[in-house]
Amino acid sequence: MSDEIKRGLQSPLRRKLLMGAAALPAMALLPRLAFGAGPPTAAVNTTGLAVTDTEVTVGILHSATGTMAISETGSIQAEKLAIEQINAMGGVLGRKIKIIQEDGASDWPTFAEKAKKLLVNDKVASIMGCWTSASRKAVLPVMEQYNGMLYYPTFYEGLEQSKNVIYTGQEATQQILAGIDWITKEKNAKSFYFIGSDYIWPRTSNKIARKHIENFLKLKVVGEEYFPLGHTQFNSVINKLKLTKPDVIFTDVVGGSNVAFYKQLKAAGIDLSKQTLLTISVTEDEIDGIGGENIAGAYACMKYFQSLKNENNEKFVAAFKKMWGDKTVIGDVTQAAYLGPWLWKATVEKAGSFDVDKVAAASPGIEFKGAPEGYVRIHENHHLWSKTRVGKAKLDGQFDMVFETADLIQPDPFPKGYQ
């Protein structure tokens, strides 16, 4: 990994980890509650999960190391915040949530191995985890084989539905198609150039995007390139951008590679206040490493931005910064990760059980009125009804929201004509 990437990754991550350690004494100030007043364990745990009269154990499985740590650290922090808040309110069915955290280390076989360990050895009642589609695809057969429940927070390509997963991020119709429609209308765009990381999510996302652009909008894709995770040399594709002059650069580069990509764009003289760029992968978390000065002017299609103005979000941002430090930032996936523990709590309490089959059956219709993004609800396909938003990156690393759908968008993981 280049010195440039190391600098981009180490600074924000070191701050986050140090701030997390500093927050531990503050956690001790939370009110001490007497757990164990819930229903009998035999009644709420018939499948041998790690549930006692006073505790229930869940897993957190994200990349705390490797190229994806720049993106996934925020998810870990958000899930821990939600669990801390839930415990302060009395836990779930009168039980305190205990966490076992594992590191997927930006390696997909490791994710599968750790998921099996959490389900088989630790017998966790649920797992909050994964970021990339590659890690989710590695974990999914493990979740289904051992009947676990995964709360997956990342925007993704869709084309998947499982009894054993609740998808708290957006699928393609809520992000990719909505974002392209907006940028096409707003910028009168006729041509697009795709740049992505080389794994399932960017490739499938761009396949869906190409079908939409060419078959439905009758416009052109003038280039499509992919680079390995952790890649740091983008000068060749930047030269192609200069030659082809697309109306829109459409990017789904992930993780630490974004640090090099946006710095090199700027160094090559590509001004994002003049050249339209739409990303579906860069949030405030990544900009913490990229630097606002290197991405200002770019557009991002997400469902959440830290700058979102509503009472839920103001409370969330304040609590997040109190726990993890004033300099921390909150991106779309971080917020979606925060939803996981809360939705699980609500579902368990509706089901009156920690048993995964009962939780899965009780999930449709579960709502969370306290979501920082605003009201959300679980659809029967295990995805969330959510709004779509577009933000414009600023020098300070935050986004100005420039578009928001009036209503929640119904999730449709298998859109007709895009498979």
Side-chain angles (χ1 to χ4, degrees):
M1 191 178 286
S2 73
D3 289 341
E4 181 181 43
I5 282 287
K6 286 179 181 177
R7 287 193 300 271
L9 286 171
Q10 288 173 351
S11 176
L13 289 178
R14 187 185 302 117
R15 287 200 305 269
K16 288 180 176 181
L17 292 172
L18 288 174
M19 288 299 173
L24 291 175
M27 292 182 205
L29 298 177
L30 288 170
R32 293 184 179 275
L33 298 170
F35 293 96
T41 300
V44 299
N45 177 30
T46 68
T47 58
L49 299 172
V51 179
T52 70
D53 290 343
T54 58
E55 283 188 341
V56 54
T57 302
V58 304
I60 287 180
L61 176 58
H62 290 289
S63 296
T65 58
T67 189
M68 291 309 303
I70 189 174
S71 299
E72 297 191 58
T73 296
S75 297
I76 297 168
Q77 294 171 327
E79 288 154 1
K80 287 184 174 180
L81 171 61
I83 289 169
E84 191 69 35
Q85 291 174 332
I86 290 168
N87 282 341
M89 294 171 58
V92 182
L93 292 182
R95 288 155 175 86
K96 180 180 181 180
I97 303 174
K98 175 185 174 183
I99 298 169
I100 296 178
Q101 182 179 337
E102 296 291 346
D103 182 8
S106 306
D107 178 71
W108 323 141
T110 298
F111 268 93
E113 173 192 330
K114 297 296 187 181
K116 183 177 179 181
K117 182 257 184 189
L118 286 168
L119 294 178
V120 176
N121 296 353
D122 301 317
K123 300 187 183 304
V124 298
S126 64
I127 295 176
M128 314 295 158
C130 300
W131 198 102
T132 65
S133 284
S135 64
R136 189 194 71 257
K137 289 292 189 185
V139 163
L140 181 58
V142 178
M143 303 304 297
E144 294 181 337
Q145 180 179 354
Y146 297 103
N147 201 27
M149 181 60 80
L150 173 69
Y151 286 79
Y152 176 66
T154 315
F155 38 74
Y156 86 115
E157 68 279 3
L159 309 181
E160 182 180 296
Q161 181 179 334
S162 173
K163 181 204 84 173
N164 299 90
V165 183
I166 300 295
Y167 306 82
T168 66
Q170 311 90 291
E171 45 72 37
T173 69
Q174 296 169 312
Q175 186 191 33
I176 300 167
L177 305 187
I180 289 173
D181 284 345
W182 180 84
I183 206 83
T184 299
K185 181 179 179 181
E186 185 72 15
K187 300 296 182 180
N188 193 28
K190 306 295 183 186
S191 62
F192 294 75
Y193 200 116
F194 297 166
I195 303 173
S197 294
D198 193 5
Y199 72 98
I200 182 172
W201 175 66
R203 284 189 174 273
T204 308
S205 295
N206 290 349
K207 180 181 178 181
I208 292 168
R210 180 183 281 272
K211 285 186 177 182
H212 190 60
I213 289 165
E214 294 180 343
N215 298 348
F216 291 87
L217 300 179
K218 307 301 182 183
L219 303 174
K220 291 184 179 180
V221 177
V222 296
E224 184 171 356
E225 304 250 356
Y226 297 94
F227 300 91
L229 287 168
H231 190 77
T232 62
Q233 300 300 323
F234 292 93
N235 291 322
S236 175
V237 72
I238 290 171
N239 287 335
K240 292 178 183 177
L241 291 173
K242 288 183 171 182
L243 288 172
T244 55
K245 295 182 173 59
D247 292 331
V248 178
I249 303 171
F250 183 80
T251 71
D252 35 29
V253 175
V254 306
S257 293
N258 281 300
V259 178
F261 177 63
Y262 287 96
K263 286 185 176 181
Q264 288 166 23
L265 273 179
K266 184 177 182 183
I270 294 181
D271 183 350
L272 296 182
S273 67
K274 299 176 181 177
Q275 166 64 63
T276 301
L277 183 148
L278 176 66
T279 175
I280 57 169
S281 58
V282 171
T283 75
E284 293 89 336
D285 288 299
E286 287 77 22
I287 295 178
D288 203 22
I290 294 167
E293 69 279 6
N294 296 307
I295 196 172
Y299 294 95
C301 184
M302 302 288 165
K303 66 172 180 171
Y304 170 86
F305 297 103
Q306 182 181 316
S307 57
L308 197 59
K309 298 192 183 306
N310 66 55
E311 186 178 352
N312 289 349
N313 191 46
E314 289 171 7
K315 290 178 180 177
F316 169 62
V317 171
F320 194 94
K321 288 181 175 291
K322 183 177 180 180
M323 186 169 183
W324 298 108
D326 285 340
K327 293 184 179 180
T328 54
V329 296
I330 306 165
D332 179 275
V333 184
T334 296
Q335 189 269 163
Y338 178 76
L339 306 182
W342 287 104
L343 292 170
W344 175 71
K345 168 185 164 66
T347 312
V348 166
E349 292 177 346
K350 176 186 174 184
S353 175
F354 293 103
D355 294 352
V356 169
D357 287 343
K358 293 176 182 177
V359 170
S363 290
I366 289 292
E367 56 186 12
F368 182 31
K369 296 179 181 178
E373 68 181 83
Y375 173 84
V376 297
R377 184 171 74 253
I378 302 178
H379 191 276
E380 61 184 15
N381 60 30
H382 280 200
H383 294 69
L384 296 189
W385 292 75
S386 293
K387 289 189 174 185
T388 295
R389 298 177 170 99
V390 176
K392 187 174 185 180
K394 301 192 300 179
L395 284 170
D396 65 0
Q398 292 294 308
F399 286 92
D400 270 332
M401 193 175 72
V402 296
F403 171 75
E404 177 184 58
T405 54
D407 301 310
L408 299 175
I409 296 179
Q410 176 174 317
D412 181 10
F414 297 97
K416 188 176 180 179
Y418 292 89
Q419 299 173 43

